Every structure is written in structure tokens, then in C-alpha cells.
Amino acid sequence: MLVGYLPPLFLSLAALVLVLVHGQLQTGFISIDCGSPENFNFLDIDTGISYASDGAYINTGINHNISSQYAYPNNPNLPYPLSDLRSFPSGNKNCYTLTPAAANGSLYLLRASFLYGNYDGEDKLPEFDLYLGVNLWSSVKFGNASDVVTTEIIGTAVSDSISVCLVNKGTGIPFISALELRPLNNSIYGTALGKPVSLVLFERFDFGYANGTGRYKDDIYDRIWSPYNSPSWNVVSTSADINSNGNGYRAPLEVIRTAAMPRNGSDRLELSWTADDDDSEFYVYMYFAEVQRLEKNQTRKFNISSNGSLMFGPFVPWYLYATTISNSEAFTGKEHRISIHQTDDANLPPILNAIEIYMAKQLDELPTYSEDAAAVLNIKTTYQVNKGWMGDPCGPKNYTWEGLECNYNVSIPPRIVSLNLSSSGLSGRMSASFGNLSSMQSLDLSNNHLTGPVPEFLEGLKSLRFL
Ligand SMILES: *[C@@H]1O[C@H](CO)[C@@H](O)[C@H](O)[C@H]1NC(C)=O
Ligand SMILES: *[C@@H]1O[C@H](CO)[C@@H](O)[C@H](O)[C@H]1NC(C)=O
Ligand SMILES: *[C@@H]1O[C@H](CO)[C@@H](O)[C@H](O)[C@H]1NC(C)=O
Ligand SMILES: *[C@@H]1O[C@H](CO)[C@@H](O)[C@H](O)[C@H]1NC(C)=O
Ligand SMILES: *[C@@H]1O[C@H](CO)[C@@H](O)[C@H](O)[C@H]1NC(C)=O
Ligand SMILES: *[C@@H]1O[C@H](CO)[C@@H](O)[C@H](O)[C@H]1NC(C)=O
Ligand SMILES: *[C@@H]1O[C@H](CO)[C@@H](O)[C@H](O)[C@H]1NC(C)=O
Ligand SMILES: *[C@@H]1O[C@H](CO)[C@@H](O)[C@H](O)[C@H]1NC(C)=O
Ligand SMILES: *[C@@H]1O[C@H](CO)[C@@H](O)[C@H](O)[C@H]1NC(C)=O
Ligand SMILES: *[C@@H]1O[C@H](CO)[C@@H](O)[C@H](O)[C@H]1NC(C)=O
Ligand SMILES: *[C@@H]1O[C@H](CO)[C@@H](O)[C@H](O)[C@H]1NC(C)=O
Ligand SMILES: *[C@@H]1O[C@H](CO)[C@@H](O)[C@H](O)[C@H]1NC(C)=O
């Protein structure tokens, strides 16, 4: 079996009714319908999730509806949030700023969705980059105008806000249709210790699929589970309750109640996939729960191996109790094969209820030194600087704020070394925040209307060579 395609979102608009709601929110969820009319909030009956328009999270870009050919009712299965979008014809970096209740240090799942739908009438598919903070999350490309691209990332917030940035790389105007944030239990989706990574979803499969997506409210984290079955597998299932609370992963009942097992008991349950490049790193989370009440003389017991070497086992899944097994060291390489096979003393075939496969993204770039970032943000607010300053000041490296230069050094946060605000319409007194940019070498404030003497705090700037 080759795991390599992403099934489309399963949402039916036939069953979707729009209801205007006031303040009915899922705990900690941020669900944004990008490009919808200002203050337009609605409840998606299909998922029970309430979406808000994006005005509170961004102040650049232009709202559009997709062209009618791709919209409801011509496209009856279109999820409602994808019928409109926000595009960013100006600036090479435009960012949404999310400020969840407990940000710094918390683990989040973010999901971004894109449907071009020929919104601009140009019939030309754009290609652009998506960043989580200062690190590349995904390159967004489309197969055609009706292709729904959805990408998910799991990461830990490193400050009180989270920025999601769309970057124009010269191959078309970036846009976004929907953006969702879901808080996770901090103790799950662990990876190799000491390695700061984000996890980008590769595949999330529900084996022996019943009839849904498993998402909210079944899934308190609102993960979307894609059905998968193979002709060489049988389905086993239960209608009993399964305890999923024992570990933080909380697999939804609908997903964990069904499992795949090889049709021929002595066969292995095998999954394989191919990565785009040789040094891709994968983390795999496998969900197991025994769904059959076994007789005294029945034993289900198996080993799990990756590419032929034992990963975990022997393992006996517990009756009606969910367990999650993952690799603590990344699987690195191009070809990957997970194989689950019964041990010699077992007489029942192995099972697998669900799986998530994530690709690790190294967090190579660090955000700007926090005092510098706070100072320049304060300057932006004080003087209402209108230069499209969004997201992190120094990062990503090629997309620093206009008028700003930074000094980069591996493994330490970049510092702001030069600020050019000449002819920027600044007026009033000189802000003390300038004095907090302690690595600054050059400050150009010519052609503004700043009043008062040059303050003493500038003398504290030891590196300043140009004023
Ligand atoms: C999109 O369509 C809705 C009605 O379906 C309308 O209210 C809204 O103004 C349109 N948005 C744009 C940007 O044209
Ligand atoms: C559009 O592209 C997607 C993904 O590449 C594909 O699954 C779909 O069949 C295509 N649709 C059309 C109408 O070509
Ligand atoms: C975030 O938390 C880390 C560790 O708890 C701390 O070192 C850092 O200064 C915090 N960052 C911000 C912007 O609060
Ligand atoms: C989907 O599953 C639910 C509960 O398992 C069941 O009540 C419903 O009838 C099913 N729907 C279809 C179309 O099979
Ligand atoms: C997070 O998961 C752990 C088990 O891994 C559990 O003990 C803890 O209660 C969970 N926290 C929340 C808020 O659910
Ligand atoms: C099951 O697999 C074994 C070993 O691969 C094979 O010998 C046997 O014929 C298979 N049985 C069936 C019914 O396919
Ligand atoms: C298990 O025991 C039952 C009777 O209790 C018997 O019918 C069955 O064949 C046994 N199965 C195996 C695998 O020994
Ligand atoms: C798995 O084995 C194949 C050869 O059998 C090798 O090409 C590949 O790199 C291995 N993959 C991993 C992740 O070790
Ligand atoms: C399963 O793994 C154990 C080691 O944990 C090993 O002793 C045993 O031989 C393995 N069984 C099979 C059938 O591979
Ligand atoms: C940054 O720009 C340089 C030169 O323009 C280019 O070679 C490099 O690939 C860019 N890096 C990224 C991450 O876009
Ligand atoms: C990077 O940091 C190291 C240690 O702090 C320092 O020795 C080195 O000069 C720095 N490099 C640059 C280019 O600033
Ligand atoms: C600041 O930018 C202006 C043009 O925007 C330029 O003329 C001036 O030389 C710059 N100042 C410095 C110190 O580079």
C-alpha cells in the first residue's frame, strides 16, 4: 500500500445550515473564516464549530468571494468557510496575529485551508509560502482551481502571540481561505528530547472507518481523520465505549472503535510511504485498542517494526482502552515501512485502529531578541508607522520589516542593528523605546516632525555610529 495522497475534506454543505451566533465558542478554539464580511460570525452545523471573520487578526489584504463556478450551489460539497478568502497583493509578508489565552509554552495545532476558485478571474494558480512565526510551515501549490489545500502543523508557542505569515515569493499573490487554532495537551506529540521541532501533518488515517471525519465534537482537538481501507484488510469494530482518556491523545470514539486487521491472519499489517527528500524526518503515532472480547484461549500479541527493525513489542492491546505508541527517535530517510506482525505465541492477527504520521520541521530560525522586538513594536504603535510591519521584525531572514536591518547569528536571536524611519511622518517627542534597541548601530530619523531635544537615553546605545 502506498500512502501518498490527501483525501479531500469531508463536509457536506447539503447538511449545513448557517446560523448567526453570538459568542458560542469552543474552549480555546480560534476559527477564522478569512475574507468573510466584517463581524460575520456563524455556526457550521455540520461540525458544530463557530467561525468568525478575520478583521480582528489582520488589517491588510482584500476580501474576495471565489467565482460562482466553484461555489455553492455549483459545488454542493464546499465547506462554507472556503467560499471566500483574503488575498495579499501588497507587501511580501502579511501575517495573522493570534493571541490565544495561554500562549507562551503551550502546544497548538494550526490548520490553514486554501481554495483558489478563480477568485481574481485570472485563471492562474499562485504559489506562495506559509510561515509559522519565522519558520517555513509549507509551500502552497494547487493542482487546479478547485483543489482544496489543507495543511496542519503542531508546535509550541514561543511568545504570547502566534503569527501565521503568507509570503509572496514572486509566483503569484498569496491568499488564505480559513485558519484554525486548537489547543492541545502539552504532554502529547512529544519528539526526541532537546530538539525544537514543529510537526507538519503528512497523513492521519482512521482504519475501518465508520462514517464521519471524527472531528469536533468527537475529537476534542478537532483533528480531521481520513478514512482508509485496503482490500487485503478486514474491519473489526465495537459499539462499546472505549476509554481514551488515559493518555492525553484522546482519540475520538468513532475513530478508535474501528480497526483494521489483515484478512489472512498470518499476514502482516503493513504501511509504507515515500518522502519527497532523503533527509525528511517522521514521527508516527499509532492508536490501538482491543475491540473484541477475547476467549481464554485467544491471544492477540504483536511486534511493531519500522523498516525491518523492532520499534515496539511484544504488545497486547487492552480491551476497550486506547494506547498510543510512537517513535521517540525520528524515522529518517526516503522510504518508510511500518510492519505489525503477530508473535509466535499469538493466535489472532494484529490490529491497528488509527495512525498519524507527521513530518518534523526544524526550527532553524529564532525570533528577534525579545527586548528589541518589544521596543520596535512600541515604536510602531506610538508613531502609527504605516510600513506594513507584521509578524516578527527580523524573521524570516529574507523578509525583515521595511527600514530595518538585523544581525543574524546561529543559535542566538537576531538583533536589530539599524532602523531607518526617514520621511515616515513621525511626530511628537522621541520615544524612550529607541533607547531600548541596545544593539543599534544606525538610526535615521531625518525628515520627520520630531520635537524636543535628543534625549539622554540615546547615550546608552553603545554601538550607535550613525544618527
Ligand atoms: C461575498 O458574497 C456575500 C454574499 O454571498 C456578500 O455578502 C459579500 O459582500 C461578498 N464579498 C465580497 C468581497 O464580494
Ligand atoms: C484538482 O486537483 C485535485 C488534486 O490534485 C484532484 O484530486 C482533482 O481531481 C482535480 N480536479 C479537477 C476538476 O481536475
Ligand atoms: C516564553 O517562555 C520562555 C520560557 O518559559 C521564556 O524564556 C521567554 O522569555 C518567554 N517569551 C516571552 C515573549 O514571553
Ligand atoms: C453513521 O454512524 C452513526 C453512528 O454510528 C449512525 O447513527 C448513522 O446512521 C450512520 N450514518 C450512515 C449514513 O451510515
Ligand atoms: C494531559 O495528558 C495527561 C496524560 O498524558 C493527563 O494526565 C492530563 O490530565 C492531561 N491534561 C489535560 C488538561 O487534559
Ligand atoms: C495466508 O498466508 C500464508 C503465508 O503467507 C499462506 O501460506 C496462506 O496460503 C494464506 N492463506 C490464505 C487463505 O490466503
Ligand atoms: C478456543 O476454545 C473454544 C471453546 O471454548 C474452541 O471452540 C476454539 O476452537 C478454541 N480456539 C482455539 C484457537 O484454540
Ligand atoms: C529502509 O530500507 C530501505 C532499503 O530496504 C532503504 O532504502 C531506506 O532508506 C530505509 N529507510 C529508513 C527510514 O531507514
Ligand atoms: C517480537 O519481539 C521480541 C522482542 O521484544 C522478540 O523476542 C520476538 O522474537 C519478536 N517476535 C517476532 C515474531 O518477531
Ligand atoms: C533568501 O534570499 C536569497 C537571495 O535572494 C536566496 O538565495 C535564498 O534562497 C532566500 N532564502 C529563503 C529561505 O527564501
Ligand atoms: C556570533 O556569536 C558568537 C558568539 O556569541 C560571536 O563570537 C560571533 O562573532 C558572532 N558572529 C557574528 C557574525 O555576529
Ligand atoms: C534611509 O532611507 C532613505 C530612503 O528611504 C535613504 O535616502 C537614506 O540614505 C537611508 N538612511 C540610511 C542611514 O541608510
Side-chain angles (χ1 to χ4, degrees):
M1 175 197 123
L2 199 69
V3 182
Y5 79 104
L6 265 177
L9 270 172
F10 273 79
L11 285 176
S12 95
L13 207 102
L16 181 136
V17 181
L18 296 181
V19 184
L20 289 173
V21 287
H22 302 282
Q24 182 180 343
L25 297 171
Q26 287 74 34
T27 313
F29 284 23
I30 299 178
S31 308
I32 306 172
D33 176 9
C34 308
S36 67
E38 210 168 327
N39 300 323
F40 181 69
N41 299 327
F42 65 92
L43 177 72
D44 182 336
I45 291 287
D46 232 17
T47 58
I49 295 166
S50 36
Y51 288 85
S53 49
D54 54 0
Y57 306 96
I58 194 158
N59 50 27
T60 55
I62 301 173
N63 289 355
H64 293 276
N65 285 328
I66 59 169
S67 88
S68 62
Q69 182 189 347
Y70 302 98
Y72 188 83
N74 292 328
N75 181 1
N77 293 325
L78 184 72
Y80 191 82
L82 304 185
S83 62
D84 48 22
L85 56 89
R86 187 181 284 250
S87 78
F88 302 97
S90 15
N92 54 18
K93 178 176 85 172
N94 285 273
C95 305
Y96 281 78
T97 303
L98 310 180
T99 47
N104 194 9
S106 299
L107 191 67
Y108 289 102
L109 178 152
L110 285 125
R111 178 164 49 226
S113 307
F114 309 85
L115 169 61
Y116 169 64
N118 195 23
Y119 75 87
D120 53 2
E122 303 273 333
D123 243 326
K124 212 166 148 223
L125 302 169
E127 233 182 273
F128 49 89
D129 283 342
L130 180 67
Y131 280 78
L132 176 57
V134 297
N135 288 285
L136 183 66
W137 166 357
S138 179
S139 290
V140 181
K141 299 186 198 124
F142 302 90
N144 53 56
S146 56
D147 192 6
V148 174
V149 171
T150 296
T151 176
E152 277 185 28
I153 193 167
I154 290 176
T156 302
V158 292
S159 75
D160 292 335
S161 67
I162 295 172
S163 52
V164 173
C165 302
L166 294 122
V167 164
N168 186 332
K169 46 181 188 176
T171 47
I173 293 170
F175 72 86
I176 183 165
S177 308
L179 181 61
E180 297 166 299
L181 174 145
R182 310 291 180 239
L184 300 174
N185 183 322
N186 273 11
S187 67
I188 61 176
Y189 297 112
T191 57
L193 282 179
K195 261 196 174 176
V197 296
S198 290
L199 298 174
V200 173
L201 183 66
F202 186 69
E203 295 289 3
R204 181 185 292 124
F205 285 135
D206 171 12
F207 299 116
Y209 156 74
N211 65 15
T213 59
R215 67 184 293 190
Y216 186 82
K217 295 175 180 177
D218 281 344
D219 189 333
I220 61 160
Y221 305 131
D222 189 31
R223 291 162 293 194
I224 297 173
W225 301 81
S226 308
Y228 192 90
N229 262 318
S230 154
S232 57
W233 296 347
N234 273 339
V235 169
V236 277
S237 64
T238 179
S239 53
D241 266 353
I242 294 184
N243 185 338
S244 259
N245 302 340
N247 66 23
Y249 288 92
R250 307 289 297 271
L253 195 53
E254 174 183 310
V255 168
I256 199 77
R257 262 177 174 164
T258 60
M261 66 180 187
R263 214 169 263 278
N264 180 345
S266 54
D267 278 356
R268 293 153 181 249
L269 202 57
E270 284 201 324
L271 285 166
S272 59
W273 70 94
T274 304
D276 285 342
D277 59 85
D278 288 341
D279 46 9
S280 299
E281 296 196 336
F282 289 91
Y283 288 91
V284 170
Y285 302 84
M286 282 175 273
Y287 294 78
F288 297 98
E290 180 57 77
V291 293
Q292 290 179 313
R293 187 186 289 281
L294 305 188
E295 301 296 335
K296 288 238 153 38
N297 59 1
Q298 291 182 306
T299 309
R300 193 188 312 278
K301 199 184 208 184
F302 45 84
N303 283 352
I304 305 164
S305 54
S306 161
N307 223 19
S309 47
L310 184 73
M311 173 188 158
F312 194 85
F315 175 65
V316 177
W318 292 0
Y319 183 55
L320 304 184
Y321 190 92
T323 308
T324 308
I325 291 173
S326 64
N327 51 320
S328 51
E329 284 294 325
F331 295 146
T332 309
K334 208 172 163 69
E335 303 295 332
H336 297 265
R337 194 181 77 249
I338 302 261
S339 167
I340 307 176
H341 50 102
Q342 70 177 58
T343 54
D344 299 336
D345 54 343
N347 54 15
L348 291 178
I351 56 167
L352 177 58
N353 306 57
I355 193 168
E356 293 180 88
I357 305 172
Y358 290 90
M359 212 175 344
K361 289 262 173 185
Q362 305 303 325
L363 305 181
D364 296 327
E365 272 196 50
L366 293 172
T368 307
Y369 183 68
S370 61
E371 276 172 35
D372 285 3
V376 77
L377 197 62
N378 203 357
I379 290 166
K380 175 190 164 183
T381 317
T382 306
Y383 300 106
Q384 304 197 351
V385 178
N386 187 16
K387 287 180 179 290
W389 284 0
M390 277 172 282
D392 188 82
C394 294
K397 233 181 213 165
N398 284 4
Y399 305 98
T400 50
W401 286 2
E402 186 195 333
L404 204 118
E405 278 171 39
C406 304
N407 183 11
Y408 301 92
N409 196 336
V410 265
S411 77
I412 61 170
R415 300 296 308 262
I416 294 172
V417 293
S418 150
L419 181 56
N420 185 346
L421 283 171
S422 77
S423 312
S424 298
L426 313 192
S427 61
R429 295 192 151 270
M430 197 146 162
S431 162
S433 294
F434 288 105
N436 293 343
L437 292 165
S438 54
S439 280
M440 192 147 59
Q441 295 165 9
S442 160
L443 175 62
D444 189 340
L445 295 173
S446 58
N447 290 318
N448 287 300
H449 307 286
L450 293 169
T451 53
V454 173
E456 277 171 25
F457 53 70
L458 287 183
E459 286 165 21
L461 300 178
K462 298 278 182 294
S463 318
L464 196 61
R465 288 196 290 269
F466 175 91
L467 180 60

